[in-house]
Amino acid sequence: MKVAIVLAGLVVVAVAAIVAIQPGFLKPASLAVVKKSDMFGFSPGMTFDEASKLVTQRHYLCRQTRGSYTLECEINGAKVTVYSDDADAKHPIWRVNAELNNPGPQDAAVKSISDQFNASAIKEREGWTWIVGRGFKLSYDGTTLSLVDEAAEARLRKAQ
């Protein structure tokens, strides 16, 4: 009986130490900070079929570019273009561009984007960039927002 009490005490002390070092240890995954990694529901890595289902579910007005797996959509006043890998059988998305109509002041837009994607903006010569989701690069030049899987883009460039 004394051994069981000592073991239980050690377990409690160990859990308390872990929680002191890593407070999020006992938080359910659903409460963890989630980084957004999509634009209008489109995300690099999703297949062309998944993108087509999204278009149907959300009633987006899109058309497929002839001879390729590229979607051009009008969503909430933005011209959204979704690029997929033509060579891969699943045609995974590797880039999503959104040309924004009247995005407003750039400082306000950058703050809004940072808030939505839960990421810090990095000022560059051409505009701003963020690292979001699973290592995707989000960039904004004042009118166009681009979400890219840089690894997939590099593979596609190498293959061409």
Side-chain angles (χ1 to χ4, degrees), residues 26-108:
L26 293 178
K27 273 188 188 174
S30 62
L31 296 178
V33 175
V34 176
K35 286 193 170 196
K36 179 177 174 168
S37 62
D38 69 87
M39 286 184 2
F40 301 105
F42 299 109
S43 180
M46 74 188 311
T47 66
F48 189 80
D49 287 342
E50 291 169 335
S52 297
K53 288 177 187 174
L54 179 74
V55 167
T56 302
Q57 290 170 347
R58 295 194 180 179
H59 306 289
Y60 288 156
L61 298 174
C62 299
R63 68 180 183 86
Q64 185 175 350
T65 304
R66 186 181 299 210
S68 75
Y69 287 89
T70 301
L71 290 174
E72 294 178 348
C73 308
E74 287 286 331
I75 304 171
N76 299 334
K79 181 183 176 197
V80 179
T81 308
V82 179
Y83 298 93
S84 298
D85 182 353
D86 291 339
D88 189 315
K90 291 185 178 183
H91 309 291
I93 292 172
W94 60 273
R95 175 185 288 271
V96 182
N97 284 348
E99 292 178 30
L100 308 176
N101 286 336
N102 195 16
Q106 287 188 6
D107 291 341

Side-chain angles (χ1 to χ4, degrees), residues 44 94-97 135-139 146-150 153:
W94 60 273
R95 175 185 288 271
V96 182
N97 284 348
F136 301 145
K137 180 180 176 184
L138 178 68
S139 60
S146 295
L147 181 61
V148 180
D149 179 344
E150 290 187 301
E153 185 176 48

